[in-house]
């Protein structure tokens, strides 16, 4: 029942629709009380021979007319009530999506996709059902139940009504208990559904890897275990569910037994006519629906309340990174980073310590170092995905923490380590951040990213559908499409997080050359494992275990003992060895 209080903001706002529906339900309840009364009149009239055949037909006609009116009124209240509940679904989903889009990576580390999806679909459906059917059953059961009780006690006999109502308190207690149990069990069942959803989502998105590793049976077994767990938890809900109806039927049966027993005795005593007893039993029949509705209402409202709790817990989570107040000043600006200490929320150990650099507009910064050194973390802090423990990053002299997030991020174009493509055309994927881009602009960006020729070779060129997550394309093509997407944004700061790892050396050289021309007064920050990608950088930071261990221009670092020189030599040797088979292959036909 807590749910009605929780949703009171919505009921208050949509009071017209709800009031209209409730008024119609009351009218219907009143109209439904008339036929049993008329049946009593007909029975007594026929028994006492005071009613002619024509009179009987007339009363039957009245009853038919009431049935038609009730039919029409039922249609109208359904439109009013369910229309309001579907509108609630739209609003809840909008709020939920807005909340998810405000969250930062840290939130998505804590919550899994399947769970978030389950809340947006299954849980919202439950709340909406409670806001529609729940309200209907509450009003219907109260109005109809009270109306029938009033008529029975005032028009027929209050003593008989009291007798028939004796089993009701026991039923009410039982239903309350079932409701509480249902709430708890349903919460667990929904959580199990979230886990199952998660497993499904994970299995489907990694299906290629599962097949490549021959893990189908293992995944199937894991899925079956989750499905079994969800099934068992739903079964526990069903067991409670199954107790509602029998309890109601036993109560109604007992009430009928008491009414017929007591009523017959009153007929024999002469304090009740047979017609009145018939009407009373028919009224008692009318009580079946309100009582079932009441039980059902408890059932769906408890489910809705558990589901609403799950949605609310997400809506209540404040983003881990607070939005700043200041506008980012217009024009190119210097970035000054002074990260004294940063650790991820899940870890105690600092991931970065004493990382600092200054980037003038149009400068290029390179980041390199062994895997896990902290390169992506620096880029992540630049995008303000997390807050720094000690230190700050400033743009135009203003700390990022004080700047409006949207304003800051609109200055950045980012290409991540793992490119993400939507299942849409190549052109739409490139134009993702600039939906109104012309074909010419799209092609220009694709040329800069050295992917234009590849696109032309696709079946429908720029209009080719790339499939889910870009399955149609190679890793290198996906990376270059993502670079083209970033370049089209025309942002003043370009961040490339190991974004050239899947392209060959020559293409990498070409893209970097294009970038230099494109970004003459744009700032570029590039993290790479292949050091050839950093040769043009104004400054390179060599990172190890979250610290900057070397820094300087490529020419300086390549001549200085240390990780950079060793790695550069190793990579050059590797590249030379790679070229040998190619040269040999080229020479073979000449020798033959
Ligand atoms: P690579 O070259 O492999 O991409 P990197 O230099 O970019 O590595 P980061 O991704 O910045 O390294 O990771 C630095 C350290 O932080 C690693 O030890 C990593 O395990 C840890 N780390 C990264 N992301 C998280 C996270 N979300 N939560 C906790 N620790 C993290």
């Amino acid at each position: 029942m807590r749910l009605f209080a929780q949703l009171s903001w919505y009921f208050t706002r949509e009071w017209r629709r709800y009031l209209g529906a409730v008024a119609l339900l009351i009218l219907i309840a009143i109209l439904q009380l008339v036929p049993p009364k008329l049946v009593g009149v007909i029975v007594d009239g026929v028994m006492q021979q005071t009613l002619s055949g024509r009179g009987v037909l007339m009363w039957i006609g009245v009853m038919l007319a009431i049935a038609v009116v009730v039919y029409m009124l039922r249609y109208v209240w359904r439109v009013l009530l369910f229309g309001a509940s579907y509108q609630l679904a739209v609003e809840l989903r909008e709020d939920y999506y807005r909340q998810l889009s405000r969250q930062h990576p840290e939130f998505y580390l804590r919550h899994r996709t399947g769970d978030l999806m389950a809340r947006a679909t299954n849980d919202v459906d439950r709340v909406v059902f409670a806001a529609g059917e729940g309200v209907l059953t509450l009003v219907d059961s109260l109005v109809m139940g009270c109306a029938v009780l009033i008529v029975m006690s005032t028009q027929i006999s209050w003593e008989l009504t009291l007798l028939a109502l004796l089993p009701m308190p026991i039923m009410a207690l039982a239903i309350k208990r079932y409701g509480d149990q249902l709430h708890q069990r349903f919460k667990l069942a929904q959580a199990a559904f979230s886990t199952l959803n998660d497993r499904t989502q994970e299995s489907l998105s990694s299906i290629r890897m599962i097949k490549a590793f021959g893990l189908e049976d293992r995944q199937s077994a894991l899925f079956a275990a989750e499905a079994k767990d969800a099934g068992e938890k739903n079964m526990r809900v069903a067991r409670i569910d199954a107790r509602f109806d029998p309890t109601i039927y036993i109560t109604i049966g007992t009430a009928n037994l008491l009414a017929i027993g007591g009523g017959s005795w009153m007929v024999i005593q002469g304090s009740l006519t047979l017609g009145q007893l018939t009407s009373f039993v028919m009224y008692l029949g009318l009580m079946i629906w309100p009582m079932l509705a009441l039980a059902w209402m408890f059932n769906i409202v408890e489910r809705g309340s558990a589901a609403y709790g799950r949605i609310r817990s997400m809506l209540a989570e404040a983003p881990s990174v607070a939005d700043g107040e200041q506008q980012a000043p217009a024009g190119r600006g210097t970035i000054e980073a002074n990260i004294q200490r940063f650790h991820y929320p899940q870890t105690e150990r600092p991931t970065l310590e004493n990382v600092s650099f200054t980037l003038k507009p149009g400068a290029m910064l390179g980041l390199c170092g062994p895997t896990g050194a902290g390169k992506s973390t620096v880029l992540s802090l630049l995008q303000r995905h997390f807050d720094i423990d000690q230190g700050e990053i400033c743009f135009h002299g203003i700390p990022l923490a004080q700047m409006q997030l949207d304003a800051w991020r609109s200055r950045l174009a980012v290409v991540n380590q793992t490119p993400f493509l939507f299942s849409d055309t190549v052109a739409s994927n490139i134009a993702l951040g600039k939906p109104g881009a012309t074909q010419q602009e799209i092609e220009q960006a694709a040329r800069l990213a050295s992917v234009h020729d590849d696109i032309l070779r696709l079946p429908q060129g720029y209009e080719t559908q790339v499939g889910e997550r870009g399955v149609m394309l190679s890793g290198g093509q996906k990376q270059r499409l993502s670079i083209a997407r970033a370049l089209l944004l025309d942002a003043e700061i370009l961040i490339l997080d190991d974004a050239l790892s899947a392209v060959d050396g020559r293409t990498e050289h070409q893209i970097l050359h294009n970038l230099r021309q494109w970004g003459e007064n744009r700032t570029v920050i590039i993290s790479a494992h292949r050091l050839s990608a950093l040769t043009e950088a104004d400054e390179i930071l060599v990172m190890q275990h979250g610290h900057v261990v070397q820094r300087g221009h490529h020419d300086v670092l390549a001549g200085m003992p240390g990780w950079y020189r060793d790695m550069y030599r190793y990579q050059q040797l590797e590249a030379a060895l790679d070229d040998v088979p190619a040269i040999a292959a080229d020479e073979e036909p000449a020798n033959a």
Side-chain angles (χ1 to χ4, degrees):
M1 296 301 279
R2 227 172 319 149
L3 182 71
F4 289 135
Q6 289 167 329
L7 287 180
S8 57
W9 61 270
Y10 186 72
F11 297 142
T12 322
R13 209 189 70 197
E14 296 294 326
W15 67 270
R16 281 188 195 82
R17 289 197 212 202
Y18 280 97
L19 193 70
V22 169
L24 289 180
L25 282 169
I26 294 174
L27 191 59
I28 291 169
I30 294 168
L31 285 174
Q32 280 186 324
L33 292 176
V34 180
K37 175 78 184 162
L38 295 184
V39 171
V41 169
I42 294 171
V43 169
D44 280 345
V46 170
M47 293 283 287
Q48 291 155 16
Q49 297 184 343
T50 52
L51 203 63
S52 66
R54 226 166 140 254
V56 172
L57 279 179
M58 187 193 75
W59 288 127
I60 291 175
V62 172
M63 285 195 278
L64 280 175
I66 290 173
V68 173
V69 173
V70 166
Y71 172 87
M72 290 190 298
L73 294 182
R74 276 187 194 280
Y75 172 80
V76 180
W77 73 246
R78 274 178 181 273
V79 172
L80 286 174
L81 189 63
F82 296 134
S85 65
Y86 293 140
Q87 179 59 28
L88 175 65
V90 173
E91 291 185 25
L92 278 181
R93 289 201 170 106
E94 276 175 4
D95 287 352
Y96 189 75
Y97 184 77
R98 206 172 302 121
Q99 170 71 348
L100 292 191
S101 54
R102 281 170 61 218
Q103 295 294 352
H104 298 276
E106 187 265 338
F107 174 88
Y108 293 97
L109 290 174
R110 280 187 290 114
H111 299 289
R112 304 178 69 184
T113 315
D115 175 38
L116 295 175
M117 280 166 61
R119 290 174 205 242
T121 51
N122 220 17
D123 287 309
V124 170
D125 283 346
R126 291 294 169 182
V127 175
V128 166
F129 197 63
E133 295 281 340
V135 172
L136 156 70
T137 45
L138 176 71
V139 175
D140 219 12
S141 55
L142 287 184
V143 171
M144 191 70 184
C146 291
V148 172
L149 279 182
I150 291 168
V151 172
M152 285 197 312
S153 54
T154 58
Q155 302 292 307
I156 302 179
S157 157
W158 65 265
E159 295 94 335
L160 195 58
T161 308
L162 217 58
L163 185 70
L165 287 186
L166 278 181
M168 301 296 169
I170 302 168
M171 180 204 75
L173 284 178
I175 288 199
K176 166 87 180 67
R177 194 157 165 260
Y178 300 157
D180 292 345
Q181 289 176 341
L182 193 92
H183 185 100
Q184 294 308 328
R185 293 190 185 187
F186 188 68
K187 231 160 78 176
L188 295 177
Q190 290 297 84
F193 178 77
S194 283
T195 314
L196 184 65
N197 222 16
D198 228 34
R199 176 75 57 201
T200 313
Q201 186 265 339
E202 211 169 65
S203 301
L204 290 179
S205 55
S206 60
I207 194 77
R208 282 178 170 198
M209 194 273 293
I210 290 171
K211 282 185 174 297
F213 280 74
L215 294 174
E216 291 95 327
D217 289 345
R218 189 164 157 266
Q219 281 300 109
S220 295
L222 283 173
F223 186 84
E226 305 282 13
K228 188 162 172 261
D229 183 50
E232 277 167 6
K233 291 197 167 121
N234 274 309
M235 200 55 218
R236 277 167 53 78
V237 174
R239 281 202 195 98
I240 290 288
D241 218 2
R243 290 187 205 164
F244 281 94
D245 283 7
T247 308
I248 302 290
Y249 280 113
I250 289 173
T251 313
I252 296 276
T254 316
N256 265 314
L257 199 71
L258 291 170
I260 291 172
S264 305
W265 185 79
M266 287 168 82
V267 171
I268 292 165
Q269 294 297 308
S271 56
L272 205 70
T273 68
L274 194 58
Q276 282 178 314
L277 180 58
T278 312
S279 292
F280 191 88
V281 174
M282 283 186 76
Y283 280 128
L284 217 49
L286 280 184
M287 285 290 283
I288 295 179
W289 161 241
M291 287 171 64
L292 282 177
L294 198 69
W296 200 40
M297 188 269 302
F298 266 98
N299 191 324
I300 52 188
V301 168
E302 286 310 332
R303 287 174 192 244
S305 168
Y308 194 58
R310 282 164 49 85
I311 299 169
R312 284 268 302 245
S313 68
M314 287 294 149
L315 292 179
E317 273 205 38
S320 53
V321 173
D323 205 353
E325 307 234 311
Q326 292 201 37
Q327 275 284 351
R332 314 271 176 225
T334 301
I335 299 174
E336 290 159 290
N338 176 21
I339 306 163
Q340 287 161 20
R341 189 177 187 278
F342 168 75
H343 79 285
Y344 280 103
Q346 293 87 351
T347 55
E348 291 291 313
R349 194 176 46 86
T351 305
L352 295 179
E353 273 182 311
N354 300 323
V355 177
S356 57
F357 55 86
T358 302
L359 257 178
K360 293 215 157 28
M364 182 174 177
L365 177 78
L367 294 173
C368 64
T371 133
K375 305 178 290 291
S376 300
T377 308
V378 172
L379 301 182
S380 200
L381 294 182
L382 271 168
Q383 296 166 67
R384 227 189 136 217
H385 288 158
F386 301 91
D387 275 331
I388 303 169
D389 308 334
Q390 283 168 27
E392 57 189 14
I393 299 177
C394 297
F395 179 61
H396 273 293
I398 302 173
L400 295 188
Q402 292 172 17
M403 210 176 280
Q404 287 177 3
L405 269 173
D406 286 348
W408 167 237
R409 288 190 185 148
S410 69
R411 302 292 183 91
L412 309 175
V414 184
V415 187
N416 285 314
Q417 247 167 350
T418 36
F420 187 92
L421 298 184
F422 289 90
S423 64
D424 205 335
T425 61
V426 170
S428 304
N429 265 295
I430 296 178
L432 184 74
K434 194 177 174 186
T438 62
Q439 182 65 20
Q440 210 182 357
E441 287 174 313
I442 293 174
E443 288 187 18
Q444 166 71 4
R447 279 201 185 87
L448 282 171
S450 295
V451 69
H452 177 70
D453 293 340
D454 290 57
I455 296 173
L456 292 185
R457 280 195 291 274
L458 293 172
Q460 276 97 38
Y462 279 86
E463 291 312 307
T464 308
Q465 291 283 340
V466 299
E468 194 170 331
R469 291 169 186 244
V471 282
M472 279 274 298
L473 304 171
S474 73
Q477 286 170 335
K478 278 192 247 182
Q479 273 195 341
R480 281 175 288 151
L481 275 193
S482 307
I483 294 176
R485 177 194 283 168
L487 297 183
L488 187 63
L489 281 181
D490 210 14
E492 65 186 81
I493 301 162
L494 176 67
I495 295 180
L496 299 175
D497 187 0
D498 208 8
L500 296 169
S501 57
V503 300
D504 59 68
R506 194 178 304 171
T507 315
E508 175 194 82
H509 182 76
Q510 184 62 49
I511 295 174
L512 288 169
H513 176 74
N514 294 347
L515 275 186
R516 261 342 238 167
Q517 288 188 336
W518 168 85
E520 256 169 27
N521 54 6
R522 289 184 179 87
T523 309
V524 179
I525 304 165
I526 175 166
S527 125
H529 278 285
R530 206 159 43 204
L531 302 181
S532 53
L534 306 179
T535 50
E536 296 194 36
D538 298 293
E539 185 177 33
I540 299 169
L541 304 188
V542 183
M543 301 193 59
Q544 260 175 352
H545 305 301
H547 294 84
V548 177
V549 289
Q550 287 180 292
R551 64 193 310 154
H553 190 264
H554 166 77
D555 297 336
V556 179
L557 291 173
M560 192 193 276
W563 184 91
Y564 192 92
R565 191 181 71 177
D566 296 347
M567 188 51 70
Y568 185 62
R569 284 184 181 167
Y570 174 78
Q571 287 181 358
Q572 273 192 318
L573 193 65
E574 200 178 39
L577 287 174
D578 277 349
D579 282 347
V580 174
I583 294 164
D586 285 348
E587 283 173 355
E588 222 165 81
N591 294 343

